[in-house]
């Protein structure tokens, strides 16, 4: 099948590569000529396990192409996926300017019947706006070309996006046309050979499903962090509570780990957008608002623990940071707790030495650019030399079983602040290390 993917960011690249992997003829188009030039040279702009090799293989096999030529990209296309960004506006709403600009270009360039798919996370009602925009351009051309607009939200988890796409737990298709639905079913059937997990619904429900899914997961995270904060007050251990409630199959263990809060490109943006959508439709989303408020506060819990331990003025103190990305398996730092913790510690006068396996360049070039008093290390132990404490903020695998004797040897004082409760099962008191975690009153274990 001939497919066009418009937008070569995270969702566009993963989608394009995976469709090509199963033999489709995929053209990814983007207005960023530098990005396209790099992609054609085999330089992948994002880190996602398995993505680079999949792209290189399919370019070599002539299943995957990259271009800035919109007309050429649509020339033989049967399905066009809109996968451009929907950045958060100042009021929390999703900015649709790029989606609608693509819709306009489709109306100007399409030459045959086309199925247009909203892959980007978009507000409820966006498909109708896309449809109106395309039709307006066709009317200007006096064209009677037919097209259908479909909602097909993505449910990719950064770090395991390839596996999510190739073996999806569900594929949601929002369509008001049986022709469009059958075409989408044909496209996805190779991904669903063992189980038919294709879910058909109306377009608005499909658009809402993505927001509801992310809001639900964000709610579980904020709920557990709220419980963890209460546990600290009453002398309970949130890690044990997590096991106690997670064993209930109605609750489960996913997304109930106490920590420094959620970040990334999806949860923060989608929670804000859902609040805005609710308000615009005359509803006060109290629970969603609370989820966001809890998460905003949670990002600074570790910083407050450091202040409680070392004092309000952190001038003269140095902290070694393990982890900058919002989660392991990615270089994405959007809304990462590390940003907030580091800026708060620097604001109070401290020096920061940071290490992350993948996200250091992102920190230097974007998210911590211009922040004073921060240096970056080549390894996890480099940043501990003469540090007053280790602060763990991303649960990378290489942090799971460190050499605690080496940690003690490098640091001024053997103190760990664990923002992901990575070491909560280890008796650090026996190792002579002071340990602070989320959801349990400070002790040396």
């Amino acid at each position: 099948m001939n497919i066009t993917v418009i937008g070569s960011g995270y969702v566009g690249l993963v989608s394009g590569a995976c469709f090509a992997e199963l033999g489709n003829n995929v053209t990814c188009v983007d207005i960023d000529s530098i990005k396209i030039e790099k992609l054609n040279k085999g330089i992948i702009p994002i880190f996602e396990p398995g993505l680079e090799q999949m792209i290189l293989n399919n370019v070599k096999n002539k299943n995957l192409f990259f271009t800035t030529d919109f007309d050429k990209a649509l020339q033989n296309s049967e399905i066009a996926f809109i996968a451009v960004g929907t950045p958060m506006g100042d009021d929390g709403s999703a900015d649709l300017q790029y989606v609608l600009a693509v819709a306009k270009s489709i109306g100007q360039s399409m030459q045959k019947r086309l199925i247009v798919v909203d892959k980007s996370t978009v507000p409820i009602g966006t498909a109708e706006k896309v449809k109106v925009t395309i039709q307006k351009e066709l009317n200007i051309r006096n064209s009677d070309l037919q097209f259908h607009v479909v909602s097909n939200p993505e449910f990719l988890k950064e770090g395991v996006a390839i596996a999510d796409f190739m073996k999806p737990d569900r594929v949601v298709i929002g369509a008001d046309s049986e022709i469009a639905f059958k075409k989408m079913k044909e496209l996805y059937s190779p991904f669903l050979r063992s189980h038919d997990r294709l879910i058909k619904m109306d377009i608005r429900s499909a658009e809402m499903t993505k927001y509801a899914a992310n809001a639900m997961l964000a709610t579980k995270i904020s709920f557990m962090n709220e419980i963890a904060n209460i546990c600290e007050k009453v002398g309970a251990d949130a890690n044990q509570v997590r096991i106690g409630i997670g064993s209930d199959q109605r609750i489960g263990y996913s997304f109930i780990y106490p920590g420094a809060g959620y970040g990334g490109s999806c949860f923060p943006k989608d929670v804000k957008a859902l609040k805005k959508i609710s308000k615009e439709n005359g509803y006060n989303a109290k629970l969603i608002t609370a989820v966001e408020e809890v998460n905003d506060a949670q990002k600074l819990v570790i910083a407050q623990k450091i202040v409680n331990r070392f004092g309000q003025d952190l001038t003269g103190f140095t902290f070694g940071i393990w982890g900058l990305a919002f989660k392991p398996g990615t270089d994405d730092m959007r809304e990462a707790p590390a940003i907030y913790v580091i800026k708060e510690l620097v604001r109070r006068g401290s020096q920061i030495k940071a290490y992350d396996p993948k996200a250091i360049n992102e920190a230097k070039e974007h998210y911590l650019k211009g922040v004073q008093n921060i240096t970056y290390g080549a390894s996890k132990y480099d940043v501990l030399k003469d540090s007053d404490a280790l602060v763990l903020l991303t649960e990378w695998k290489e942090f799971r079983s460190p050499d605690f004797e080496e940690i003690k040897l490098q640091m001024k004082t053997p103190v760990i602040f664990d923002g992901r409760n990575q070491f909560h099962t280890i008796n650090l008191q026996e190792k002579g290390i002071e340990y602070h975690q989320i959801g349990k009153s400070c002790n040396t274990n």
Side-chain angles (χ1 to χ4, degrees), residues 388-409:
D388 293 283
L390 159 61
V391 185
L392 191 151
L393 295 172
T394 312
E395 62 274 34
W396 286 96
K397 287 182 179 179
E398 70 171 86
F399 300 156
R400 289 183 182 177
S401 299
D403 184 338
F404 289 104
E405 290 303 314
E406 181 68 19
I407 288 175
K408 288 171 60 179
L409 182 65

mmCIF file with all atom_site columns, all heavy atoms in Angstrom, residues 388-409:
data_model
loop_
_atom_site.group_PDB
_atom_site.id
_atom_site.type_symbol
_atom_site.label_atom_id
_atom_site.label_alt_id
_atom_site.label_comp_id
_atom_site.label_asym_id
_atom_site.label_entity_id
_atom_site.label_seq_id
_atom_site.pdbx_PDB_ins_code
_atom_site.Cartn_x
_atom_site.Cartn_y
_atom_site.Cartn_z
_atom_site.occupancy
_atom_site.B_iso_or_equiv
_atom_site.pdbx_formal_charge
_atom_site.auth_seq_id
_atom_site.auth_comp_id
_atom_site.auth_asym_id
_atom_site.auth_atom_id
_atom_site.pdbx_PDB_model_num
ATOM 1   N N   . ASP A 1 388 ? 28.229 16.148 47.465 1.00 0.00 ? 388 ASP A N   1
ATOM 2   C CA  . ASP A 1 388 ? 27.667 16.016 48.808 1.00 0.00 ? 388 ASP A CA  1
ATOM 3   C C   . ASP A 1 388 ? 26.523 15.011 48.854 1.00 0.00 ? 388 ASP A C   1
ATOM 4   O O   . ASP A 1 388 ? 26.163 14.527 49.926 1.00 0.00 ? 388 ASP A O   1
ATOM 5   C CB  . ASP A 1 388 ? 27.175 17.383 49.290 1.00 0.00 ? 388 ASP A CB  1
ATOM 6   C CG  . ASP A 1 388 ? 28.330 18.353 49.501 1.00 0.00 ? 388 ASP A CG  1
ATOM 7   O OD1 . ASP A 1 388 ? 29.011 18.225 50.524 1.00 0.00 ? 388 ASP A OD1 1
ATOM 8   O OD2 . ASP A 1 388 ? 28.553 19.204 48.623 1.00 0.00 ? 388 ASP A OD2 1
ATOM 9   N N   . ALA A 1 389 ? 25.930 14.710 47.687 1.00 0.00 ? 389 ALA A N   1
ATOM 10  C CA  . ALA A 1 389 ? 24.862 13.720 47.638 1.00 0.00 ? 389 ALA A CA  1
ATOM 11  C C   . ALA A 1 389 ? 24.651 13.280 46.196 1.00 0.00 ? 389 ALA A C   1
ATOM 12  O O   . ALA A 1 389 ? 24.938 14.016 45.250 1.00 0.00 ? 389 ALA A O   1
ATOM 13  C CB  . ALA A 1 389 ? 23.555 14.279 48.208 1.00 0.00 ? 389 ALA A CB  1
ATOM 14  N N   . LEU A 1 390 ? 24.161 12.062 46.055 1.00 0.00 ? 390 LEU A N   1
ATOM 15  C CA  . LEU A 1 390 ? 23.719 11.545 44.764 1.00 0.00 ? 390 LEU A CA  1
ATOM 16  C C   . LEU A 1 390 ? 22.207 11.726 44.684 1.00 0.00 ? 390 LEU A C   1
ATOM 17  O O   . LEU A 1 390 ? 21.472 11.369 45.617 1.00 0.00 ? 390 LEU A O   1
ATOM 18  C CB  . LEU A 1 390 ? 24.078 10.064 44.647 1.00 0.00 ? 390 LEU A CB  1
ATOM 19  C CG  . LEU A 1 390 ? 23.302 9.210  43.632 1.00 0.00 ? 390 LEU A CG  1
ATOM 20  C CD1 . LEU A 1 390 ? 23.510 9.734  42.219 1.00 0.00 ? 390 LEU A CD1 1
ATOM 21  C CD2 . LEU A 1 390 ? 23.721 7.755  43.730 1.00 0.00 ? 390 LEU A CD2 1
ATOM 22  N N   . VAL A 1 391 ? 21.725 12.258 43.562 1.00 0.00 ? 391 VAL A N   1
ATOM 23  C CA  . VAL A 1 391 ? 20.295 12.443 43.341 1.00 0.00 ? 391 VAL A CA  1
ATOM 24  C C   . VAL A 1 391 ? 19.901 11.647 42.093 1.00 0.00 ? 391 VAL A C   1
ATOM 25  O O   . VAL A 1 391 ? 20.311 11.979 40.985 1.00 0.00 ? 391 VAL A O   1
ATOM 26  C CB  . VAL A 1 391 ? 19.940 13.940 43.148 1.00 0.00 ? 391 VAL A CB  1
ATOM 27  C CG1 . VAL A 1 391 ? 18.425 14.108 43.038 1.00 0.00 ? 391 VAL A CG1 1
ATOM 28  C CG2 . VAL A 1 391 ? 20.500 14.781 44.290 1.00 0.00 ? 391 VAL A CG2 1
ATOM 29  N N   . LEU A 1 392 ? 19.120 10.592 42.271 1.00 0.00 ? 392 LEU A N   1
ATOM 30  C CA  . LEU A 1 392 ? 18.706 9.738  41.153 1.00 0.00 ? 392 LEU A CA  1
ATOM 31  C C   . LEU A 1 392 ? 17.325 10.170 40.674 1.00 0.00 ? 392 LEU A C   1
ATOM 32  O O   . LEU A 1 392 ? 16.369 10.184 41.448 1.00 0.00 ? 392 LEU A O   1
ATOM 33  C CB  . LEU A 1 392 ? 18.690 8.270  41.570 1.00 0.00 ? 392 LEU A CB  1
ATOM 34  C CG  . LEU A 1 392 ? 18.525 7.247  40.441 1.00 0.00 ? 392 LEU A CG  1
ATOM 35  C CD1 . LEU A 1 392 ? 19.197 5.931  40.811 1.00 0.00 ? 392 LEU A CD1 1
ATOM 36  C CD2 . LEU A 1 392 ? 17.055 6.984  40.122 1.00 0.00 ? 392 LEU A CD2 1
ATOM 37  N N   . LEU A 1 393 ? 17.215 10.498 39.382 1.00 0.00 ? 393 LEU A N   1
ATOM 38  C CA  . LEU A 1 393 ? 15.958 11.046 38.860 1.00 0.00 ? 393 LEU A CA  1
ATOM 39  C C   . LEU A 1 393 ? 15.396 10.279 37.665 1.00 0.00 ? 393 LEU A C   1
ATOM 40  O O   . LEU A 1 393 ? 14.264 10.532 37.253 1.00 0.00 ? 393 LEU A O   1
ATOM 41  C CB  . LEU A 1 393 ? 16.144 12.514 38.483 1.00 0.00 ? 393 LEU A CB  1
ATOM 42  C CG  . LEU A 1 393 ? 16.442 13.444 39.664 1.00 0.00 ? 393 LEU A CG  1
ATOM 43  C CD1 . LEU A 1 393 ? 16.800 14.839 39.176 1.00 0.00 ? 393 LEU A CD1 1
ATOM 44  C CD2 . LEU A 1 393 ? 15.266 13.504 40.624 1.00 0.00 ? 393 LEU A CD2 1
ATOM 45  N N   . THR A 1 394 ? 16.173 9.360  37.083 1.00 0.00 ? 394 THR A N   1
ATOM 46  C CA  . THR A 1 394 ? 15.689 8.521  35.980 1.00 0.00 ? 394 THR A CA  1
ATOM 47  C C   . THR A 1 394 ? 16.171 7.106  36.221 1.00 0.00 ? 394 THR A C   1
ATOM 48  O O   . THR A 1 394 ? 17.367 6.893  36.481 1.00 0.00 ? 394 THR A O   1
ATOM 49  C CB  . THR A 1 394 ? 16.221 9.005  34.619 1.00 0.00 ? 394 THR A CB  1
ATOM 50  O OG1 . THR A 1 394 ? 16.040 10.411 34.496 1.00 0.00 ? 394 THR A OG1 1
ATOM 51  C CG2 . THR A 1 394 ? 15.499 8.303  33.477 1.00 0.00 ? 394 THR A CG2 1
ATOM 52  N N   . GLU A 1 395 ? 15.277 6.127  36.110 1.00 0.00 ? 395 GLU A N   1
ATOM 53  C CA  . GLU A 1 395 ? 15.602 4.754  36.492 1.00 0.00 ? 395 GLU A CA  1
ATOM 54  C C   . GLU A 1 395 ? 16.216 3.945  35.344 1.00 0.00 ? 395 GLU A C   1
ATOM 55  O O   . GLU A 1 395 ? 15.747 2.869  34.963 1.00 0.00 ? 395 GLU A O   1
ATOM 56  C CB  . GLU A 1 395 ? 14.368 4.052  37.077 1.00 0.00 ? 395 GLU A CB  1
ATOM 57  C CG  . GLU A 1 395 ? 13.177 3.900  36.149 1.00 0.00 ? 395 GLU A CG  1
ATOM 58  C CD  . GLU A 1 395 ? 12.251 5.102  36.127 1.00 0.00 ? 395 GLU A CD  1
ATOM 59  O OE1 . GLU A 1 395 ? 12.724 6.243  36.257 1.00 0.00 ? 395 GLU A OE1 1
ATOM 60  O OE2 . GLU A 1 395 ? 11.047 4.896  35.954 1.00 0.00 ? 395 GLU A OE2 1
ATOM 61  N N   . TRP A 1 396 ? 17.333 4.447  34.790 1.00 0.00 ? 396 TRP A N   1
ATOM 62  C CA  . TRP A 1 396 ? 18.053 3.699  33.755 1.00 0.00 ? 396 TRP A CA  1
ATOM 63  C C   . TRP A 1 396 ? 18.577 2.379  34.317 1.00 0.00 ? 396 TRP A C   1
ATOM 64  O O   . TRP A 1 396 ? 18.936 2.292  35.494 1.00 0.00 ? 396 TRP A O   1
ATOM 65  C CB  . TRP A 1 396 ? 19.229 4.519  33.232 1.00 0.00 ? 396 TRP A CB  1
ATOM 66  C CG  . TRP A 1 396 ? 18.855 5.662  32.343 1.00 0.00 ? 396 TRP A CG  1
ATOM 67  C CD1 . TRP A 1 396 ? 18.690 6.976  32.714 1.00 0.00 ? 396 TRP A CD1 1
ATOM 68  C CD2 . TRP A 1 396 ? 18.616 5.617  30.933 1.00 0.00 ? 396 TRP A CD2 1
ATOM 69  N NE1 . TRP A 1 396 ? 18.355 7.736  31.616 1.00 0.00 ? 396 TRP A NE1 1
ATOM 70  C CE2 . TRP A 1 396 ? 18.308 6.936  30.502 1.00 0.00 ? 396 TRP A CE2 1
ATOM 71  C CE3 . TRP A 1 396 ? 18.635 4.595  29.980 1.00 0.00 ? 396 TRP A CE3 1
ATOM 72  C CZ2 . TRP A 1 396 ? 18.020 7.255  29.183 1.00 0.00 ? 396 TRP A CZ2 1
ATOM 73  C CZ3 . TRP A 1 396 ? 18.349 4.909  28.655 1.00 0.00 ? 396 TRP A CZ3 1
ATOM 74  C CH2 . TRP A 1 396 ? 18.048 6.225  28.272 1.00 0.00 ? 396 TRP A CH2 1
ATOM 75  N N   . LYS A 1 397 ? 18.654 1.366  33.463 1.00 0.00 ? 397 LYS A N   1
ATOM 76  C CA  . LYS A 1 397 ? 19.120 0.051  33.915 1.00 0.00 ? 397 LYS A CA  1
ATOM 77  C C   . LYS A 1 397 ? 20.517 0.103  34.505 1.00 0.00 ? 397 LYS A C   1
ATOM 78  O O   . LYS A 1 397 ? 20.825 -0.606 35.461 1.00 0.00 ? 397 LYS A O   1
ATOM 79  C CB  . LYS A 1 397 ? 19.080 -0.944 32.752 1.00 0.00 ? 397 LYS A CB  1
ATOM 80  C CG  . LYS A 1 397 ? 17.682 -1.379 32.347 1.00 0.00 ? 397 LYS A CG  1
ATOM 81  C CD  . LYS A 1 397 ? 17.725 -2.411 31.221 1.00 0.00 ? 397 LYS A CD  1
ATOM 82  C CE  . LYS A 1 397 ? 16.312 -2.845 30.843 1.00 0.00 ? 397 LYS A CE  1
ATOM 83  N NZ  . LYS A 1 397 ? 16.329 -3.833 29.719 1.00 0.00 ? 397 LYS A NZ  1
ATOM 84  N N   . GLU A 1 398 ? 21.385 0.945  33.940 1.00 0.00 ? 398 GLU A N   1
ATOM 85  C CA  . GLU A 1 398 ? 22.757 0.974  34.432 1.00 0.00 ? 398 GLU A CA  1
ATOM 86  C C   . GLU A 1 398 ? 22.875 1.555  35.847 1.00 0.00 ? 398 GLU A C   1
ATOM 87  O O   . GLU A 1 398 ? 23.939 1.486  36.453 1.00 0.00 ? 398 GLU A O   1
ATOM 88  C CB  . GLU A 1 398 ? 23.654 1.756  33.475 1.00 0.00 ? 398 GLU A CB  1
ATOM 89  C CG  . GLU A 1 398 ? 23.436 3.248  33.427 1.00 0.00 ? 398 GLU A CG  1
ATOM 90  C CD  . GLU A 1 398 ? 24.532 3.936  32.607 1.00 0.00 ? 398 GLU A CD  1
ATOM 91  O OE1 . GLU A 1 398 ? 24.376 4.015  31.376 1.00 0.00 ? 398 GLU A OE1 1
ATOM 92  O OE2 . GLU A 1 398 ? 25.520 4.386  33.206 1.00 0.00 ? 398 GLU A OE2 1
ATOM 93  N N   . PHE A 1 399 ? 21.764 2.107  36.348 1.00 0.00 ? 399 PHE A N   1
ATOM 94  C CA  . PHE A 1 399 ? 21.768 2.624  37.714 1.00 0.00 ? 399 PHE A CA  1
ATOM 95  C C   . PHE A 1 399 ? 21.255 1.595  38.733 1.00 0.00 ? 399 PHE A C   1
ATOM 96  O O   . PHE A 1 399 ? 21.284 1.848  39.934 1.00 0.00 ? 399 PHE A O   1
ATOM 97  C CB  . PHE A 1 399 ? 20.887 3.871  37.821 1.00 0.00 ? 399 PHE A CB  1
ATOM 98  C CG  . PHE A 1 399 ? 21.313 5.021  36.934 1.00 0.00 ? 399 PHE A CG  1
ATOM 99  C CD1 . PHE A 1 399 ? 20.384 5.982  36.543 1.00 0.00 ? 399 PHE A CD1 1
ATOM 100 C CD2 . PHE A 1 399 ? 22.621 5.145  36.499 1.00 0.00 ? 399 PHE A CD2 1
ATOM 101 C CE1 . PHE A 1 399 ? 20.766 7.048  35.734 1.00 0.00 ? 399 PHE A CE1 1
ATOM 102 C CE2 . PHE A 1 399 ? 23.006 6.202  35.680 1.00 0.00 ? 399 PHE A CE2 1
ATOM 103 C CZ  . PHE A 1 399 ? 22.067 7.153  35.297 1.00 0.00 ? 399 PHE A CZ  1
ATOM 104 N N   . ARG A 1 400 ? 20.771 0.459  38.266 1.00 0.00 ? 400 ARG A N   1
ATOM 105 C CA  . ARG A 1 400 ? 20.077 -0.463 39.166 1.00 0.00 ? 400 ARG A CA  1
ATOM 106 C C   . ARG A 1 400 ? 21.006 -1.147 40.177 1.00 0.00 ? 400 ARG A C   1
ATOM 107 O O   . ARG A 1 400 ? 20.624 -1.357 41.323 1.00 0.00 ? 400 ARG A O   1
ATOM 108 C CB  . ARG A 1 400 ? 19.339 -1.533 38.352 1.00 0.00 ? 400 ARG A CB  1
ATOM 109 C CG  . ARG A 1 400 ? 18.127 -1.004 37.608 1.00 0.00 ? 400 ARG A CG  1
ATOM 110 C CD  . ARG A 1 400 ? 17.394 -2.117 36.885 1.00 0.00 ? 400 ARG A CD  1
ATOM 111 N NE  . ARG A 1 400 ? 16.256 -1.603 36.129 1.00 0.00 ? 400 ARG A NE  1
ATOM 112 C CZ  . ARG A 1 400 ? 15.480 -2.343 35.355 1.00 0.00 ? 400 ARG A CZ  1
ATOM 113 N NH1 . ARG A 1 400 ? 15.710 -3.655 35.251 1.00 0.00 ? 400 ARG A NH1 1
ATOM 114 N NH2 . ARG A 1 400 ? 14.478 -1.801 34.693 1.00 0.00 ? 400 ARG A NH2 1
ATOM 115 N N   . SER A 1 401 ? 22.187 -1.515 39.735 1.00 0.00 ? 401 SER A N   1
ATOM 116 C CA  . SER A 1 401 ? 23.107 -2.244 40.620 1.00 0.00 ? 401 SER A CA  1
ATOM 117 C C   . SER A 1 401 ? 24.472 -1.577 40.620 1.00 0.00 ? 401 SER A C   1
ATOM 118 O O   . SER A 1 401 ? 25.470 -2.136 40.152 1.00 0.00 ? 401 SER A O   1
ATOM 119 C CB  . SER A 1 401 ? 23.235 -3.708 40.168 1.00 0.00 ? 401 SER A CB  1
ATOM 120 O OG  . SER A 1 401 ? 21.995 -4.372 40.215 1.00 0.00 ? 401 SER A OG  1
ATOM 121 N N   . PRO A 1 402 ? 24.562 -0.389 41.167 1.00 0.00 ? 402 PRO A N   1
ATOM 122 C CA  . PRO A 1 402 ? 25.845 0.319  41.170 1.00 0.00 ? 402 PRO A CA  1
ATOM 123 C C   . PRO A 1 402 ? 26.786 -0.257 42.223 1.00 0.00 ? 402 PRO A C   1
ATOM 124 O O   . PRO A 1 402 ? 26.386 -1.042 43.097 1.00 0.00 ? 402 PRO A O   1
ATOM 125 C CB  . PRO A 1 402 ? 25.437 1.748  41.527 1.00 0.00 ? 402 PRO A CB  1
ATOM 126 C CG  . PRO A 1 402 ? 24.236 1.589  42.394 1.00 0.00 ? 402 PRO A CG  1
ATOM 127 C CD  . PRO A 1 402 ? 23.497 0.400  41.834 1.00 0.00 ? 402 PRO A CD  1
ATOM 128 N N   . ASP A 1 403 ? 28.033 0.134  42.137 1.00 0.00 ? 403 ASP A N   1
ATOM 129 C CA  . ASP A 1 403 ? 29.033 -0.235 43.131 1.00 0.00 ? 403 ASP A CA  1
ATOM 130 C C   . ASP A 1 403 ? 28.940 0.775  44.270 1.00 0.00 ? 403 ASP A C   1
ATOM 131 O O   . ASP A 1 403 ? 29.432 1.893  44.170 1.00 0.00 ? 403 ASP A O   1
ATOM 132 C CB  . ASP A 1 403 ? 30.428 -0.204 42.482 1.00 0.00 ? 403 ASP A CB  1
ATOM 133 C CG  . ASP A 1 403 ? 31.524 -0.671 43.429 1.00 0.00 ? 403 ASP A CG  1
ATOM 134 O OD1 . ASP A 1 403 ? 31.319 -0.615 44.658 1.00 0.00 ? 403 ASP A OD1 1
ATOM 135 O OD2 . ASP A 1 403 ? 32.588 -1.075 42.931 1.00 0.00 ? 403 ASP A OD2 1
ATOM 136 N N   . PHE A 1 404 ? 28.301 0.376  45.352 1.00 0.00 ? 404 PHE A N   1
ATOM 137 C CA  . PHE A 1 404 ? 28.070 1.317  46.444 1.00 0.00 ? 404 PHE A CA  1
ATOM 138 C C   . PHE A 1 404 ? 29.367 1.700  47.157 1.00 0.00 ? 404 PHE A C   1
ATOM 139 O O   . PHE A 1 404 ? 29.480 2.793  47.712 1.00 0.00 ? 404 PHE A O   1
ATOM 140 C CB  . PHE A 1 404 ? 27.050 0.750  47.436 1.00 0.00 ? 404 PHE A CB  1
ATOM 141 C CG  . PHE A 1 404 ? 25.649 0.707  46.893 1.00 0.00 ? 404 PHE A CG  1
ATOM 142 C CD1 . PHE A 1 404 ? 25.094 -0.487 46.472 1.00 0.00 ? 404 PHE A CD1 1
ATOM 143 C CD2 . PHE A 1 404 ? 24.907 1.867  46.777 1.00 0.00 ? 404 PHE A CD2 1
ATOM 144 C CE1 . PHE A 1 404 ? 23.808 -0.528 45.951 1.00 0.00 ? 404 PHE A CE1 1
ATOM 145 C CE2 . PHE A 1 404 ? 23.622 1.842  46.254 1.00 0.00 ? 404 PHE A CE2 1
ATOM 146 C CZ  . PHE A 1 404 ? 23.074 0.648  45.831 1.00 0.00 ? 404 PHE A CZ  1
ATOM 147 N N   . GLU A 1 405 ? 30.356 0.822  47.139 1.00 0.00 ? 405 GLU A N   1
ATOM 148 C CA  . GLU A 1 405 ? 31.649 1.175  47.720 1.00 0.00 ? 405 GLU A CA  1
ATOM 149 C C   . GLU A 1 405 ? 32.312 2.275  46.892 1.00 0.00 ? 405 GLU A C   1
ATOM 150 O O   . GLU A 1 405 ? 32.935 3.186  47.433 1.00 0.00 ? 405 GLU A O   1
ATOM 151 C CB  . GLU A 1 405 ? 32.557 -0.063 47.800 1.00 0.00 ? 405 GLU A CB  1
ATOM 152 C CG  . GLU A 1 405 ? 32.110 -1.079 48.835 1.00 0.00 ? 405 GLU A CG  1
ATOM 153 C CD  . GLU A 1 405 ? 31.998 -0.477 50.229 1.00 0.00 ? 405 GLU A CD  1
ATOM 154 O OE1 . GLU A 1 405 ? 32.934 0.256  50.632 1.00 0.00 ? 405 GLU A OE1 1
ATOM 155 O OE2 . GLU A 1 405 ? 30.981 -0.725 50.911 1.00 0.00 ? 405 GLU A OE2 1
ATOM 156 N N   . GLU A 1 406 ? 32.156 2.197  45.561 1.00 0.00 ? 406 GLU A N   1
ATOM 157 C CA  . GLU A 1 406 ? 32.696 3.240  44.695 1.00 0.00 ? 406 GLU A CA  1
ATOM 158 C C   . GLU A 1 406 ? 31.961 4.557  44.935 1.00 0.00 ? 406 GLU A C   1
ATOM 159 O O   . GLU A 1 406 ? 32.575 5.640  44.917 1.00 0.00 ? 406 GLU A O   1
ATOM 160 C CB  . GLU A 1 406 ? 32.570 2.822  43.229 1.00 0.00 ? 406 GLU A CB  1
ATOM 161 C CG  . GLU A 1 406 ? 33.125 3.819  42.225 1.00 0.00 ? 406 GLU A CG  1
ATOM 162 C CD  . GLU A 1 406 ? 34.636 3.957  42.293 1.00 0.00 ? 406 GLU A CD  1
ATOM 163 O OE1 . GLU A 1 406 ? 35.294 3.051  42.849 1.00 0.00 ? 406 GLU A OE1 1
ATOM 164 O OE2 . GLU A 1 406 ? 35.162 4.976  41.798 1.00 0.00 ? 406 GLU A OE2 1
ATOM 165 N N   . ILE A 1 407 ? 30.655 4.472  45.134 1.00 0.00 ? 407 ILE A N   1
ATOM 166 C CA  . ILE A 1 407 ? 29.871 5.675  45.426 1.00 0.00 ? 407 ILE A CA  1
ATOM 167 C C   . ILE A 1 407 ? 30.400 6.354  46.695 1.00 0.00 ? 407 ILE A C   1
ATOM 168 O O   . ILE A 1 407 ? 30.635 7.559  46.729 1.00 0.00 ? 407 ILE A O   1
ATOM 169 C CB  . ILE A 1 407 ? 28.375 5.304  45.592 1.00 0.00 ? 407 ILE A CB  1
ATOM 170 C CG1 . ILE A 1 407 ? 27.765 4.941  44.228 1.00 0.00 ? 407 ILE A CG1 1
ATOM 171 C CG2 . ILE A 1 407 ? 27.592 6.465  46.226 1.00 0.00 ? 407 ILE A CG2 1
ATOM 172 C CD1 . ILE A 1 407 ? 26.333 4.449  44.304 1.00 0.00 ? 407 ILE A CD1 1
ATOM 173 N N   . LYS A 1 408 ? 30.614 5.564  47.748 1.00 0.00 ? 408 LYS A N   1
ATOM 174 C CA  . LYS A 1 408 ? 31.127 6.107  49.010 1.00 0.00 ? 408 LYS A CA  1
ATOM 175 C C   . LYS A 1 408 ? 32.524 6.692  48.836 1.00 0.00 ? 408 LYS A C   1
ATOM 176 O O   . LYS A 1 408 ? 32.855 7.739  49.408 1.00 0.00 ? 408 LYS A O   1
ATOM 177 C CB  . LYS A 1 408 ? 31.144 5.020  50.076 1.00 0.00 ? 408 LYS A CB  1
ATOM 178 C CG  . LYS A 1 408 ? 29.766 4.620  50.578 1.00 0.00 ? 408 LYS A CG  1
ATOM 179 C CD  . LYS A 1 408 ? 29.831 3.392  51.460 1.00 0.00 ? 408 LYS A CD  1
ATOM 180 C CE  . LYS A 1 408 ? 30.705 3.607  52.683 1.00 0.00 ? 408 LYS A CE  1
ATOM 181 N NZ  . LYS A 1 408 ? 30.746 2.403  53.540 1.00 0.00 ? 408 LYS A NZ  1
ATOM 182 N N   . LEU A 1 409 ? 33.337 6.023  48.022 1.00 0.00 ? 409 LEU A N   1
ATOM 183 C CA  . LEU A 1 409 ? 34.710 6.467  47.807 1.00 0.00 ? 409 LEU A CA  1
ATOM 184 C C   . LEU A 1 409 ? 34.757 7.821  47.113 1.00 0.00 ? 409 LEU A C   1
ATOM 185 O O   . LEU A 1 409 ? 35.590 8.677  47.433 1.00 0.00 ? 409 LEU A O   1
ATOM 186 C CB  . LEU A 1 409 ? 35.461 5.421  46.975 1.00 0.00 ? 409 LEU A CB  1
ATOM 187 C CG  . LEU A 1 409 ? 36.941 5.697  46.682 1.00 0.00 ? 409 LEU A CG  1
ATOM 188 C CD1 . LEU A 1 409 ? 37.751 5.678  47.982 1.00 0.00 ? 409 LEU A CD1 1
ATOM 189 C CD2 . LEU A 1 409 ? 37.495 4.669  45.700 1.00 0.00 ? 409 LEU A CD2 1
#
